[in-house]
Amino acid sequence: MEIDDAHTAHQVDRPASGAEVVAGKQGRAVAAWFQSDGQRNAIFASRYAAQTDFWSTPQAIDLSGGGAADVPALVADGQGRVTATWFQTLGGRTAIFACRLDAGGGCPAPVRLDDPGVRGNATNPQLAADDLGNVVAVWQQPDGHHTAIFAARWAQAQQRWRPAQALDRSPANAYDVVIAAMGGGGFLSAWEQGKRGHEAIWASTLPSPTASWSAPRRISPAAVRALHPTLAMDPRGGAAVAWVQGIGRARRIAATRLDASSQHERPAAVMTSAAFPGAALAPALAVDAAGNITLAWEQADAQGRDAILVSHMDGITRHWNAAVRIDDARLASAGNPVLAVDPAGNVTCAWYQDSAHGMQIQAARLDPESKRWAAAVELSDPRRTIQASLPALAVDSAGSVTVVWQQYNGWRTIVMASRLP
C-alpha cells in the first residue's frame, strides 16, 4: 500500500525517495523518507500499528524553517524507541539533525549534531542503538583539510546528545561510514579511506557509552583496494563486516567477523563463484542470535547479467558455505539486496529486479532448519508500476517483516509498504 500522502500521488512536483524502516515493539514499525512539500525536500515519517493494520498520516519531522532535507536514517533501541537523523541545509551548508520520535511519530525538537565550527557540508548520516537506549550517529564532513568521519552519541542515562568527535586520523579523504552496536553498550564504526585507487577499510570502537573511541585500525588487507563497508551487529558481541575488494571486473566481496576491539577473528573470506566471474557489488549482512552470518550481494555472470548471491558463515565452525543464487534466473538483472533476520533465525532478503514488466521488488526467505531459500516472490505490483526500487527491511520480535520501497506511479515516485507474516 502507499504510505506517503496519497492525496498528492498525481502531483509531479511531490516525488518521494530514500525510504527507510525500523521495527519497534508490539508489531509497530516506523518508515521515513524525503519528499518535496512543494517548496523543498522535507523528511516525512509514518507509523504502522499491527493492532489496526494501519499506517499513520505522514508527518514532517525535519527542522521547520530549514532548507532542503535529505536521506533519512532510522534506528530503534531495545525498548522500541525510534531515533531519526538526516542532513538539512542551514545557513548555506548542510548540517546533521536528529530527533527522538514521540509516540505519535512526530519530532518535537530536532537537534543539530555536527559542530557548526566545521564549515564543510555534513552528509550521509547513519545510526545504531544498543539495548539500553544509547544511540550513535556517524557522518562524513569536510573539515577544511580533508573529508573526515564524525560521530555523536545520545547518552540515555543523561538524556542528551554529546558533542561530535572526529573518528579518523588520516589526511586522506574518508567516505561511506557505517555504524553498528556490539552489545554491552559498545559500538563499532567502519569507513573507507585512502588515496584514490588505494582506499582501505578502517574501523574504530567505542567500548562503552562513557569510553573514548579507539584509534582507527585498518581491517582490509594491505595493497588491495577496498570500498563500501557494511556492518551487522552480532548479538553475542562484536560485529560482522564486509566490503567490496579489488578493481573493475575483478571486484569481489570480502567478509569477516570482528571482536569487540575490532580485531579479526581470522582473515577475511573472499567470495568467489565460477558461474559469476563479473564484478561483485552491494554487500549486505545479517547476524542471527546464534552468531550465524548471512551475506548477500549482486554479481555479474559471464553475459553481464547481475544476480543476487548469498553465503552463510556458521557461528560455531566459522566456515563460509559456497555462494548460492536466490533471484529468479528467468528474469533480467537484479541488484541492491537488503537483509533482515528475526529472533528465530529466519532470514529475509529483498532486492529489485528487471523483467518484461519493468523493475519490480522481489523477496525470498531462508529457513534456518533446512538451510534452503524459498523461491522469490514479487512484492510490487507490475500492473501499477514499471519502476520499483531501493527496498528496505525491518523485522519485529514476532518475526513479521516490513518492506518499504519507492516506485513510479506514472506521475511521481511514491513510497510503498508491504507486511510479510
Side-chain angles (χ1 to χ4, degrees), residues 40 60 123 196 210 248 323 342 418:
R40 64 178 182 90
T123 58
R196 184 173 178 81
T210 58
D342 70 18
S418 179

Side-chain angles (χ1 to χ4, degrees), residues 70-73 85-87 96-97 123-127 137-140:
D70 289 281
V71 191
T85 186
W86 61 91
F87 65 90
I96 305 298
F97 289 89
T123 58
N124 300 337
Q126 300 290 313
L127 287 171
V138 293
W139 63 91
Q140 63 189 46

Side-chain angles (χ1 to χ4, degrees), residues 124-145:
N124 300 337
Q126 300 290 313
L127 287 171
D130 66 16
D131 289 340
L132 302 176
N134 302 297
V135 179
V136 172
V138 293
W139 63 91
Q140 63 189 46
Q141 184 176 11
D143 63 2
H145 304 284

Side-chain angles (χ1 to χ4, degrees), residues 15-18 333 336 351-362 378-391 404-416:
S17 300
S333 283
N336 186 221
W351 62 91
Y352 61 77
Q353 188 160 14
D354 207 358
S355 71
H357 303 292
M359 192 177 294
Q360 303 295 332
I361 302 301
Q362 306 276 341
E378 195 168 70
L379 301 184
S380 52
D381 187 345
R383 298 170 299 177
R384 297 179 179 273
T385 186
I386 59 170
Q387 190 176 29
S389 61
L390 302 180
V404 300
W405 66 90
Q406 67 185 53
Q407 70 181 43
Y408 182 65
N409 69 355
W411 288 271
R412 67 170 177 85
T413 51
I414 61 175
V415 178
M416 300 291 293

Side-chain angles (χ1 to χ4, degrees), residues 151-178:
R153 62 183 108 163
W154 167 264
Q156 179 66 17
Q158 289 77 41
Q159 290 288 293
R160 65 182 179 90
W161 286 96
R162 303 182 73 176
Q165 297 176 269
L167 298 190
D168 72 297
R169 301 184 184 180
S170 166
N173 291 329
Y175 304 101
D176 279 0
V177 61
V178 288

Side-chain angles (χ1 to χ4, degrees), residues 43 62-63 66-71 85-98 110-125 139-141:
I43 306 298
D62 59 292
L63 181 68
D70 289 281
V71 191
T85 186
W86 61 91
F87 65 90
Q88 185 169 6
T89 301
L90 184 69
R93 68 178 185 86
T94 56
I96 305 298
F97 289 89
V111 176
R112 183 173 181 175
L113 302 186
D114 65 298
D115 181 352
V118 180
R119 299 302 301 170
N121 287 319
T123 58
N124 300 337
W139 63 91
Q140 63 189 46
Q141 184 176 11

Side-chain angles (χ1 to χ4, degrees), residues 9 17 77 82 159 179 189 249 264 292 328 352:
S17 300
D77 65 24
V82 175
Q159 290 288 293
I179 183 75
S189 182
R249 282 176 53 86
H264 288 263
N292 302 303
D328 189 337
Y352 61 77

